[in-house]
Amino acid sequence: MEPVPIEPKVERRDLPPFDRLCRWLALAGGVVLALAGAVTVASVFGRYFFNDAIAGDSEIVSNLTAIAVALFLPWCQLARGNVIVDVFTERASAPVKAILDGLGSFLLALIAGVVAWRLAAGGFGLAAAHDETMVLRLPTWWAFAVIAPAFALLAAASVVTTWRDLAPLRRS
Amino acid sequence: MDGPTIGLVFTLAMLALMFLRVPIAVSMMLAGGIGYVVLAGFTPFLASLKTGPYFQLANESFTVIPLFLLMGFLASHAGISRRIFEAANAFLGHLRGGLCVAAIGGCAFFGAICGSSLATAATMGQVALPEMRRYGYDGALATGTLAAGGTLGILIPPSIPLIVYAILAEQNIAKLFVAAFLPGILATLGYMTAVAITVRLRKGAAPAAARSTWRERACALVRFLPVSVLFLLVVGGIYSGVFTPTEAAAVGTGGVVIIACFARGSKLAIFRQSLVETAVATGMIFMILIGADIFNSFIALSGLPQALASWIVAKGFSPMTVMLAILVVYLIMGCLMDSLSMILLTIPIFFPVVIALDFGLSYEETALWFGILVLIVVEVGLITPPVGMNVFVINKIAGDVPMRQTFKGIVPFLLSDFLRVALLLSFPVLSYGLVYWLGW
């Protein structure tokens, strides 16, 4: 389902350090996204008032967006933003739900780890090949330098949520 | 096993994972990834992951999604829904069921700023429900109206499921936004009619509210003015072709930021809250986009869509039968899954099927028509049991209305939805006519 738009009111001071780091990175991602929006607006103004759009603005905007979204991912997992279908398991007991949720988080940890590894390999490959964007000739590996570590952090966040998912089992 | 069979097996495996509480995005990545390895081997799959996820995140067509989400969340916190509702209420509130009609009008207007159904329902609910309670409106009617009204957030452009459909079907996003306009207006009028009929059948469901004075109306209009400028910028900008959807989202976000600066309370808290909510909603959507990309590469490789299309053609079903069957599949899936995952998983399979059928329409007309129909039927899932998310959100905000009552309150609006689907099915021109008329 779509995430419920009302964030649970957690006192920020109560958050564990790792959560605070991820939330802080998500906020930083939000600022990067706002920057992408600002570049778009500047380009529109340039086009209509000065007959001159920012050259290669879409390269800047799409790379900034990619960086912003990657920074969102670890917090999204910690805040349980990744949606599940719970219709079929509504009546399951708490330990069964805990095991299934833990399994889901663990699978995400594995996948995010593999993706981080592959993106790192991809980034190093692009850097070695001196790959550049079409118009502005920006090095393409810059975005990878943020996105690959962000996926590694997503893997870490998923390990944390796996541990938390299994909490009901430890208690009983 | 041949390709299509493998495609089918891993589709079922993915559904099984989903139903076992594995996050939807993870189910897609895992089933799609393993399926890809089975069909093509490890090396090509690992090679595709080197840049594949990056290209999903940096896809120029997708940059519009986080911007529209940010605009919507900022608008929710900046008191924009209150400005809209109060203006509508000043002119309509004294009519029988007027507060409900005003709430639906408000949802439609807010839907033009916000691309999310839940955010529209929640933000309008917070403003309109207290007013309805003050005048003794029936709980079923009040909560039903807002849960259904929320779906206008997605039916009326900008609409995130429609953006995703446009990308999957390789259609122009702006054209689909134009195409959705008339069906969105039809939905608004249909819901208002549903309210009008309900309050006539069930007297006492909606006691008359006070009539606003002309002075109050003028005040409400002045407060509404900045919002209407924003509306003109975003909707007018896209429809006239002055802005691309991404530019409209960026300019609109700038406009909302300016309005937010005049909101009550801590501005910093508004911005921080909006950014964090955007982060969670965007993260969830892009995880699903990455997952669907992996899964859909596998499905394309398996040849399942072509096999299905040729099977349907060979069987000789009539085009309308197939279309109806597809819409019913969406209605059933909508009871279990969110709209975005549904569109991402089914369009790569259903779109080639629909395009291969002869409805007497051109390729583009069929694509626009099908997009609008899909958009409407997936939205119905948001207000039907067992997982009608809009209903849950509104019910929670109302606090004291039993869930059964809310679902009962939905019924008139569901009937209006089904009537509209029938109308759009019978007259495809309602979905693509405006696109031609505006000269796109």
Side-chain angles (χ1 to χ4, degrees):
Chain A
M1 296 295 107
E2 276 183 84
V4 177
I6 305 148
E7 215 203 11
K9 293 264 179 279
V10 182
E11 271 300 313
R12 282 193 307 286
R13 284 182 192 83
D14 298 346
L15 285 178
F18 181 74
D19 297 54
R20 242 186 296 176
L21 169 74
C22 292
R23 193 175 188 276
W24 187 83
L25 283 177
L27 273 172
V31 174
V32 174
L33 176 64
L35 200 64
V39 172
T40 309
V41 173
S43 187
V44 172
F45 269 91
R47 194 174 72 216
Y48 283 104
F49 295 109
F50 308 104
N51 283 317
D52 194 16
I54 297 175
D57 58 340
S58 68
E59 286 175 4
I60 304 174
V61 171
S62 58
N63 276 297
L64 285 180
T65 311
I67 289 172
V69 176
L71 291 174
F72 292 161
L73 296 178
W75 174 250
C76 176
Q77 172 61 13
L78 286 178
R80 306 303 171 137
N82 288 314
V83 283
I84 62 166
V85 177
D86 54 5
V87 196
F88 294 96
T89 43
E90 243 172 326
R91 301 233 175 105
S93 66
V96 171
K97 279 188 193 168
I99 290 172
L100 291 174
D101 287 341
L103 177 72
S105 295
F106 180 68
L107 288 173
L108 178 54
L110 280 183
I111 292 172
V114 171
V115 172
W117 163 50
R118 295 320 296 161
L119 282 174
F124 282 120
L126 291 173
H130 299 287
D131 191 58
E132 291 169 332
T133 61
M134 299 279 278
V135 181
L136 295 174
R137 311 194 64 80
L138 297 168
T140 42
W141 64 265
W142 286 2
F144 283 71
V146 179
I147 295 170
F151 269 91
L153 199 63
L154 170 62
S158 311
V159 172
V160 170
T161 49
T162 308
W163 177 252
R164 289 181 190 162
D165 285 335
L166 297 176
L169 297 181
R170 289 196 297 278
R171 245 176 267 134
S172 59
Chain B
M1 274 199 288
D2 58 343
T5 315
I6 295 177
L8 197 63
V9 167
F10 279 92
T11 305
L12 294 177
M14 177 195 64
L15 290 176
L17 281 173
M18 268 183 205
F19 295 159
L20 289 174
R21 300 174 75 91
V22 173
I24 292 178
V26 177
S27 311
M28 292 175 179
M29 290 176 194
L30 201 67
I34 296 177
Y36 199 101
V37 170
V38 169
L39 283 176
F42 252 110
T43 324
F45 177 64
L46 288 180
S48 76
L49 282 184
K50 275 185 174 180
T51 51
Y54 165 77
F55 282 120
Q56 285 301 103
L57 299 185
N59 186 329
E60 266 172 54
S61 314
F62 289 155
T63 50
V64 68
I65 293 176
L67 282 174
F68 270 133
L69 284 171
L70 180 58
M71 176 162 75
F73 284 124
L74 273 169
S76 307
H77 294 300
I80 283 183
S81 48
R82 180 169 296 282
R83 289 173 191 251
I84 295 174
F85 178 71
E86 280 172 1
N89 190 19
F91 288 89
L92 302 168
H94 62 280
L95 303 172
R96 190 187 287 171
L99 287 174
C100 287
V101 177
I104 286 167
C107 283
F109 213 95
F110 195 76
I113 298 169
C114 177
S116 153
S117 199
L118 272 180
T120 304
T123 187
M124 267 299 152
Q126 278 156 0
V127 184
L129 280 176
E131 280 300 293
M132 294 179 182
R133 177 162 313 158
R134 191 150 74 94
Y135 287 101
Y137 271 46
D138 174 55
L141 176 68
T143 50
T145 301
L146 282 155
T151 64
L152 296 173
I154 287 197
L155 292 181
I156 294 184
S159 152
I160 286 162
L162 204 55
I163 294 171
V164 174
Y165 171 85
I167 293 161
L168 291 171
E170 294 174 351
Q171 296 299 309
N172 183 320
I173 295 176
K175 270 190 195 178
L176 269 157
F177 279 4
V178 174
F181 187 73
L182 209 55
I185 298 290
L186 275 178
T188 312
L189 294 178
Y191 285 170
M192 288 178 173
T193 314
V195 170
I197 294 174
T198 310
V199 296
R200 268 163 192 74
L201 289 181
R202 291 179 40 220
K203 306 243 188 274
R211 184 189 284 270
S212 307
T213 63
W214 281 101
R215 198 188 147 74
E216 285 165 346
R217 287 179 183 176
C219 281
L221 273 187
V222 169
R223 284 175 48 76
F224 177 65
L225 196 67
V227 185
S228 57
V229 171
L230 191 69
F231 174 84
L232 281 179
L233 262 179
V234 175
V235 177
I238 295 176
Y239 285 8
S240 61
V242 171
F243 297 144
T244 64
T246 309
E247 290 166 353
V251 171
T253 307
V256 180
V257 167
I258 294 173
I259 296 179
C261 289
F262 294 95
R264 269 171 274 171
S266 158
K267 275 60 162 177
L268 193 66
I270 292 177
F271 291 131
R272 201 167 42 203
Q273 183 77 3
S274 307
L275 285 180
V276 173
E277 284 174 4
T278 306
V280 174
T282 307
M284 166 235 155
I285 289 177
F286 276 78
M287 284 301 282
I288 292 179
L289 287 174
I290 294 172
D293 182 53
I294 294 175
F295 188 77
N296 287 334
S297 325
F298 155 68
I299 283 293
L301 201 64
S302 77
L304 182 63
Q306 292 84 337
L308 186 66
S310 52
W311 178 77
I312 286 171
V313 170
K315 281 280 177 185
F317 297 118
S318 83
M320 262 313 171
T321 314
V322 179
M323 182 63 107
L324 279 175
I326 288 177
L327 295 183
V328 169
V329 169
Y330 277 113
L331 283 177
I332 295 170
M333 284 176 74
C335 295
L336 312 172
M337 244 187 250
D338 72 293
S339 42
L340 201 66
S341 312
M342 246 191 321
I343 288 183
L344 278 162
L345 287 176
T346 54
I347 293 303
I349 298 175
F350 286 161
F351 187 72
V353 171
V354 169
I355 287 299
L357 298 170
D358 181 19
F359 293 98
L361 303 171
S362 75
Y363 179 88
E364 189 177 43
E365 287 164 359
T366 314
L368 293 173
W369 180 51
F370 183 53
I372 302 303
L373 285 173
V374 169
L375 186 68
I376 295 173
V377 288
V378 298
E379 276 319 288
V380 170
L382 280 172
I383 53 171
T384 46
V387 285
M389 281 305 286
N390 275 10
V391 179
F392 291 151
V393 168
I394 287 300
N395 196 270
K396 205 168 160 189
I397 293 173
D400 57 355
V401 180
M403 193 64 92
R404 284 183 72 87
Q405 286 294 310
T406 305
F407 275 119
K408 217 177 95 191
I410 288 288
V411 173
F413 301 100
L414 268 182
L415 290 178
S416 147
D417 276 335
F418 288 130
L419 271 177
R420 188 169 69 255
V421 170
L423 193 68
L424 293 172
L425 260 178
S426 324
F427 302 101
V429 68
L430 290 173
S431 302
Y432 61 78
L434 194 63
V435 177
Y436 291 131
W437 191 69
L438 283 179
W440 270 85

